[in-house]
Amino acid sequence: MGLDIRIPIGAMFGTLGLLLTGYGVFADPVLNTRPLGVNVNLWWGLVLLAFGAGMLHFGRKRSA
Amino acid sequence: MTLTAIDWSIMLVYLAFVLGIGFVVKRFMRSSEDFFLAGRALPAWVCGLAFISANLGAQEVIGMAASGAKYGIATSHFYWVGAIPAMVFVGVFMMPFYYGSRARSVPEYLRLRFDEKTRAVNAFSFAVMTVFSSGVSMYAMAKLLQTLKLLDAPLAALGLRAAWAFHLSILASALIVLAYTFLGGLTSAIYNEVLQFFLIVAGFLPLVLLGLADTGGWTGLKAKLPEGMVHSWKGMAHASTNPLGVEWFGMVMGLGFVLSFGYWCTDFLVVQRAMAAHSVSAARRTPLIAALPKMFFPFLVILPGLIAVSLPAPKGSPVLVASDGASGATMGIIPPKFDDRGAPVLDRDGKIEFDYDLAIPQLLLHYLPHGLLGLGLTALLASFMSGMAGNVTAFNTVWTYDIYQSYIRPNASDEHYLRVGRMATVGGIGLSVAAAYVATRFNNIMDMLQLVFAFVNAPVFATFLLGMFWKRATGHGAFTGLVSGTLAAAAHHGLTLPAGAASGFKGGWLTVLHQYPSEMAQNFWTAIFAWSACFAVTIAVSLLTSPRPDSELVGLVYSLTAKPAEDDLPWFERPAPLGAIVLGLTAVLNVVFW
């Protein structure tokens, strides 16, 4: 197969991670911390970003 | 409720990638084998994750959480007794015949092993069933979006009535799934299933983590729930001492052996994912790799149900009077069911019924801020779509190879079958949409169809077991066995009734000879009777009819097939050690949640 699925997965989670992290940093803190007082958008955004980067890294390493 | 820009952006990013994969993969679709079997070129981990995702449709995500909210952690039997052992069995013992025989579908294996009529029964019932289940999946999704009123704001902006939400969701989901399965066939469906797998985990995991943090972890959750809901095995000795209303033998044999092995080992929807792998050893590893994440899915889909009922109910919610009439338990944040006129639905005893299907959506709204909420809802949509696409790709293959090529037009060019496959994709989705609308109008027809499928499915595992492991089994034997098994299932259903139900769709339509403590117990025992009838009749008729010569059965039957060589593989790529690890871990989970 000409397409390594890890590349689109990495790209999608990278994009989603950026969106969530950005929202977590820039949006009104009241919006982000509901209901347990943790900025869950920021933290989960960073997790997705790391996962996306990992997928991209391994996908490209094998295709190269 | 309304979504904000961040939620919609997340949903759009997902849709863009799903369609994008379809367009990119289209370039690699040259032959019918590319389209229907992904060119048999995919790595095991990709097939394995697709193997889980294809099954992870509406019924699974919504239904398992609903069952968790209703029955508690005992719902995990569907995984730890049901799915996992069956997945190990299909990988270690059955896959060499599916993959090794070069059959292109499960019905085609039946033709190679038995005969034309046995294949026909399996192919036709499977084709109807897939269309029906993708229709039901579509219906469930549209209904859910309507209940949550997610589309009301955008519809109002367009000047449309809120009632259009239902039609819009059906149309949109049909078009999206059509686009990517039409373009890229099985490869595109499998690639998207892998994407959807990760998305489902990414969307639901924060929900479970937040829920557990809020309720004080498993210990805290246990303290808030009744004893019966937090043990999976304690109380299984008798039907009356556990929430499922079934005793251990009926559960282990009916659910664990007959129903789960019947589904995971013979349903082409899942087996097709393994057949797309690049080699026989990768195909065997597919269900085993799938089993590793699968065994932890109860935490993702059942636990939210438990968390939802453990939370304090919002002010003004109705109070459920327990069956003993004493305690005024509420159902946590699960709302009551309403009928079309907005009145609460009452059961036969006049008690309020709760809409357990809303356990996951309610929990999403309760815990997640905008942003993660969008991700959670996207995960829900992804699960609906992967379930639908799984059905559609299995349908177009069985239609093209097992029905069209076999009975309508054999000996056409490969290009012709590729074109027919694409048309079958359109036709299959069209029929699913029709099925979704039938479901809205005629609930009884759907209930009846579901019942008929249950009768047809219950005996199949006996046929495959005898076919693969007993070379003396004959085509006449298999066919009469299947028919007798289905009749036995129908007869058993017609003669028994779950406690508290009226005769009719629930059973007892012949006469009531036996009462089961619950519907689940009746289902499991129907399956046990069907399987036993099929097993016995297949053996009896096989012994009376003439067997096929051994030379025709090479590669199709265990005793006549060379064991696949795997000495050059490292131990962690060999099916037997992998299977042992999977079973060991599953045993540990059973003990932990005993």
Side-chain angles (χ1 to χ4, degrees):
Chain A
M1 250 337 274
L3 171 73
D4 192 313
I5 181 62
R6 282 172 291 193
I7 294 184
I9 290 177
M12 187 180 92
F13 278 95
T15 318
L16 293 179
L18 281 178
L19 276 174
L20 282 178
T21 317
Y23 191 76
V25 173
F26 294 111
D28 184 346
V30 179
L31 292 176
N32 280 309
T33 51
R34 196 190 69 121
L36 301 181
V38 186
N39 190 338
V40 279
N41 278 331
L42 174 64
W43 287 109
W44 199 247
L46 290 174
V47 171
L48 297 190
L49 210 52
F51 174 74
M55 275 285 175
L56 273 180
H57 173 75
F58 287 108
R60 292 175 67 142
K61 205 163 101 179
R62 216 188 99 207
S63 316
Chain B
M1 66 147 308
T2 48
L3 296 181
T4 58
I6 180 76
D7 302 315
W8 290 114
S9 329
I10 288 173
M11 218 169 271
L12 287 178
V13 168
Y14 163 71
L15 290 180
F17 273 91
V18 164
L19 294 176
I21 287 179
F23 278 103
V24 173
V25 166
K26 181 181 183 294
R27 287 189 290 145
F28 307 109
M29 295 295 114
R30 292 197 188 87
S31 67
S32 72
E33 195 168 274
D34 289 335
F35 190 77
F36 295 120
L37 289 165
R40 293 192 195 254
L42 298 178
W45 72 271
V46 169
C47 296
L49 296 183
F51 195 90
I52 309 181
S53 249
N55 160 263
L56 204 62
Q59 293 87 334
E60 176 101 358
V61 175
I62 298 292
M64 285 293 147
S67 175
K70 221 164 157 178
Y71 304 121
I73 198 74
T75 308
S76 64
H77 290 313
F78 283 88
Y79 291 78
W80 299 336
V81 176
I84 305 291
M87 287 162 86
V88 170
F89 188 82
V90 69
V92 174
F93 293 106
M94 291 174 75
M95 205 48 79
F97 310 110
Y98 282 138
Y99 195 95
S101 66
R102 304 304 286 176
R104 299 166 300 179
S105 69
V106 166
E108 192 164 70
Y109 170 81
L110 284 181
R111 187 186 58 74
L112 295 173
R113 172 63 185 85
F114 292 118
D115 55 15
E116 201 56 67
K117 58 181 182 297
T118 312
R119 182 249 288 269
V121 173
N122 190 260
F124 280 100
S125 64
F126 182 79
V128 179
M129 212 152 27
T130 45
V131 165
F132 167 77
S133 32
S134 91
V136 167
S137 193
M138 217 183 269
Y139 167 76
M141 167 159 136
K143 198 83 199 158
L144 185 71
L145 290 180
Q146 203 180 23
T147 315
L148 295 178
K149 302 190 185 308
L150 281 183
L151 294 169
D152 288 9
L155 280 174
L158 291 170
L160 289 168
R161 283 188 303 121
W164 274 87
F166 187 84
H167 310 298
L168 189 69
S169 351
I170 291 218
L171 192 70
S173 56
L175 285 179
I176 293 163
V177 171
L178 174 64
Y180 73 78
T181 47
F182 181 85
L183 290 167
L186 184 64
T187 312
S188 169
I190 287 186
Y191 275 15
N192 274 314
E193 280 155 9
V194 176
L195 191 87
Q196 284 150 350
F197 168 83
F198 287 115
L199 192 68
I200 290 164
V201 176
F204 290 162
L205 195 57
L207 184 69
V208 176
L209 295 177
L210 286 172
L212 282 179
D214 189 32
T215 49
W218 176 240
T219 346
L221 195 58
K222 254 164 108 168
K224 288 188 177 66
L225 290 169
E227 173 82 0
M229 285 187 83
V230 293
H231 291 284
S232 62
W233 282 95
K234 213 172 163 182
M236 286 306 287
H238 293 286
S240 55
T241 51
N242 70 75
L244 302 178
V246 53
E247 79 298 342
W248 71 272
F249 183 81
M251 194 275 289
V252 172
M253 286 307 286
L255 169 67
F257 182 64
V258 178
L259 289 175
S260 298
F261 278 69
Y263 177 75
W264 292 99
C265 302
T266 73
D267 196 292
F268 184 52
L269 168 66
V270 286
V271 174
Q272 187 180 29
R273 270 71 202 155
M275 283 175 150
H278 61 63
S279 65
V280 65
S281 78
R284 295 179 74 190
R285 254 178 293 146
T286 295
L288 301 170
I289 291 174
L292 283 169
K294 181 84 184 170
M295 72 173 80
F296 297 104
F297 263 67
F299 303 122
L300 220 50
V301 295
I302 299 176
L303 221 44
L306 276 88
I307 295 171
V309 285
S310 79
L311 291 170
K315 280 200 190 80
S317 13
V319 168
L320 177 77
V321 181
S323 47
D324 54 13
S327 65
T330 65
M331 276 302 125
I333 58 169
I334 294 175
K337 223 181 228 173
F338 293 104
D339 62 17
D340 294 338
R341 280 161 292 146
V345 179
L346 302 178
D347 67 6
R348 280 159 53 91
D349 303 328
K351 282 185 291 188
I352 292 169
E353 278 193 32
F354 287 86
D355 200 346
Y356 290 102
D357 284 353
L358 291 178
I360 284 223
Q362 283 291 341
L363 211 59
L364 287 170
L365 298 177
H366 184 78
Y367 279 123
L368 303 183
H370 287 293
L372 274 189
L373 179 63
L375 188 67
L377 289 169
T378 308
L380 207 52
L381 289 187
S383 80
F384 282 104
M385 286 187 194
S386 63
M388 243 167 81
N391 279 304
V392 169
T393 45
F395 169 82
N396 66 22
T397 309
V398 165
W399 165 262
T400 307
Y401 284 152
D402 291 297
I403 297 176
Y404 184 82
Q405 191 179 26
S406 310
Y407 305 114
I408 300 176
R409 194 165 159 201
N411 309 320
S413 68
D414 190 65
E415 262 167 52
H416 178 76
Y417 293 125
L418 177 58
R419 222 169 31 245
V420 168
R422 285 218 157 99
M423 266 149 51
T425 310
V426 180
I429 289 185
L431 287 170
S432 314
V433 172
Y437 277 98
V438 170
T440 61
R441 288 285 173 77
F442 307 102
N443 263 319
N444 286 342
I445 295 186
M446 290 324 230
D447 287 347
M448 206 173 79
L449 271 176
Q450 215 146 17
L451 209 56
V452 172
F453 292 143
F455 298 160
V456 174
N457 276 340
V460 286
F461 184 62
T463 307
F464 282 85
L465 196 64
L466 288 170
M468 283 181 179
F469 299 97
W470 190 47
K471 65 176 183 176
R472 185 64 183 76
T474 68
H476 293 310
F479 181 79
T480 35
L482 275 177
V483 175
S484 329
T486 302
L487 292 177
H492 179 265
H493 185 263
L495 293 171
T496 60
L497 200 62
S503 300
F505 285 120
K506 302 282 182 198
W509 37 270
L510 294 171
T511 174
V512 181
L513 289 185
H514 181 74
Q515 284 243 352
Y516 282 107
S518 70
E519 207 174 324
M520 215 180 270
Q522 186 201 24
N523 283 343
F524 294 168
W525 278 99
T526 300
I528 294 173
F529 273 92
W531 187 91
S532 313
C534 178
F535 192 76
V537 171
T538 306
I539 293 178
V541 176
S542 292
L543 291 174
L544 296 174
T545 46
S546 58
R548 287 173 67 183
D550 284 2
S551 59
E552 289 178 24
L553 296 177
V554 174
L556 299 170
V557 179
Y558 189 76
S559 58
L560 301 173
T561 305
K563 305 288 157 289
E566 50 181 44
D567 297 335
D568 50 336
L569 292 175
W571 68 268
F572 56 85
E573 289 192 358
R574 281 186 222 154
L578 267 180
I581 292 174
V582 167
L583 290 179
L585 286 173
T586 310
V588 171
L589 285 171
N590 272 305
V591 173
V592 170
F593 290 91
W594 190 274

